[in-house]
Amino acid sequence: DQQVKQNSPSLSVQEGRISILNCDYTNSMFDYFLWYKKYPAEGPTFLISISSIKDKNEDGRFTVFLNKSAKHLSLHIVPSQPGDSAVYFCAVAYGGSQGNLIFGKGTKLSVKP
Amino acid sequence: DAMVIQNPRYQVTQFGKPVTLSCSQTLNHNVMYWYQQKSSQAPKLLFHYYDKDFNNEADTPDNFQSRRPNTSFCFLDIRSPGLGDAAMYLCATSRALPSGGETQYFGPGTRLLVL
């Protein structure tokens, strides 16, 4: 069973508009949430994160929202740019000294000029 | 400046022939990870090293082994590759484990093809 679900394999958005990428998780014990961005032929790169004590974190055009009661995470990109076209992975970390990341399958974002 | 380097970028091996993938880092991070990513799937953690301490995920096949001879290098050994082991293998590093809010830095990956 997937513990982290990104139900939209792909998303297409017009340049300048908002991109909203969604992620759902199953375990309420997860306490740290991250988004990674991956271009073709490159490894994933860290984009933005949020801890479970917050419900919003903003960094420039990127904002992550956390709804703990719904076990739902979203990434908003405003305004979207063609350079944002990539695969976006949601990842969660669970606490404890052996905590590691669990990734979703990713959503491929295409931003059209 | 490359921070997490994986060699080679593409590796072709034969069914059952041992293969080693390598990863090096210039970040002096304590933790190094190996992930397996199959097409359209999530990266799946195989194991990680915290310094010299090796931590294997419960569902990682015995066919997969790892070595970390020093802080900078980590190797993934596949003893007898099967067709199902064809995948992208990603190496990552972090200063500490991610539950403390540490970011993982990924290499570009090695794509393994098993013939």
Side-chain angles (χ1 to χ4, degrees):
Chain A
D1 270 356
Q2 289 178 259
Q3 298 187 67
V4 180
K5 295 181 182 179
Q6 294 178 256
N7 290 319
S8 298
S10 63
L11 175 68
S12 184
V13 171
Q14 204 68 30
E15 180 179 7
R17 306 294 291 270
I18 185 171
S19 296
I20 300 176
L21 297 100
N22 294 303
C23 177
D24 296 295
Y25 59 95
T26 58
N27 191 337
S28 58
M29 298 299 291
F30 293 141
D31 56 7
Y32 203 71
F33 307 87
L34 307 92
W35 285 95
Y36 280 79
K37 175 179 177 180
K38 184 182 183 304
Y39 291 117
E42 296 182 12
T45 55
F46 171 74
L47 186 59
I48 192 169
S49 63
I50 189 168
S51 72
S52 59
I53 62 172
K54 294 185 176 181
D55 54 18
K56 177 182 174 182
N57 187 27
E58 191 172 351
D59 183 3
R61 297 185 297 113
F62 302 91
T63 303
V64 56
F65 294 93
L66 176 63
N67 183 333
K68 290 187 289 292
S69 60
K71 299 192 187 71
H72 180 80
L73 186 68
S74 63
L75 174 67
H76 293 210
I77 307 173
V78 182
S80 301
Q81 299 174 354
D84 297 329
S85 298
V87 177
Y88 289 80
F89 290 97
C90 169
V92 302
Y94 49 94
S97 61
Q98 296 302 313
N100 286 304
L101 288 180
I102 301 173
F103 283 85
K105 291 185 177 183
T107 296
K108 184 176 181 180
L109 174 66
S110 299
V111 181
K112 300 188 185 305
Chain B
D1 288 342
M3 296 185 292
V4 183
I5 303 160
Q6 291 190 244
N7 284 309
R9 295 293 306 275
Y10 298 90
Q11 176 75 57
V12 181
T13 191
Q14 291 179 328
F15 182 94
K17 184 175 181 181
V19 66
T20 295
L21 309 181
S22 72
C23 177
S24 64
Q25 54 135 339
T26 61
L27 298 163
N28 204 34
H29 281 173
N30 293 315
V31 193
M32 294 188 78
Y33 310 81
W34 279 104
Y35 289 86
Q36 179 193 64
Q37 186 184 17
K38 296 187 177 180
S39 180
S40 302
Q41 298 294 313
K44 180 180 177 301
L45 182 67
L46 296 173
F47 25 59
H48 75 270
Y49 273 95
Y50 195 125
D51 290 331
K52 296 180 181 179
D53 293 333
F54 177 71
N55 296 273
N56 200 28
E57 293 299 295
D59 56 355
T60 297
D62 292 339
N63 198 27
F64 291 85
Q65 305 284 320
S66 186
R67 297 170 284 135
R68 189 178 185 187
N70 53 52
T71 300
S72 301
F73 285 87
C74 194
F75 300 99
L76 170 62
D77 301 309
I78 308 176
R79 293 191 297 187
S80 182
L83 298 178
D85 296 328
M88 174 72 81
Y89 289 88
L90 294 164
C91 174
T93 75
S94 63
R95 281 189 312 164
L97 291 172
S99 59
E102 292 291 335
T103 299
Q104 288 189 18
Y105 295 83
F106 284 82
T110 294
R111 184 165 293 282
L112 178 68
L113 180 62
V114 181
L115 300 178

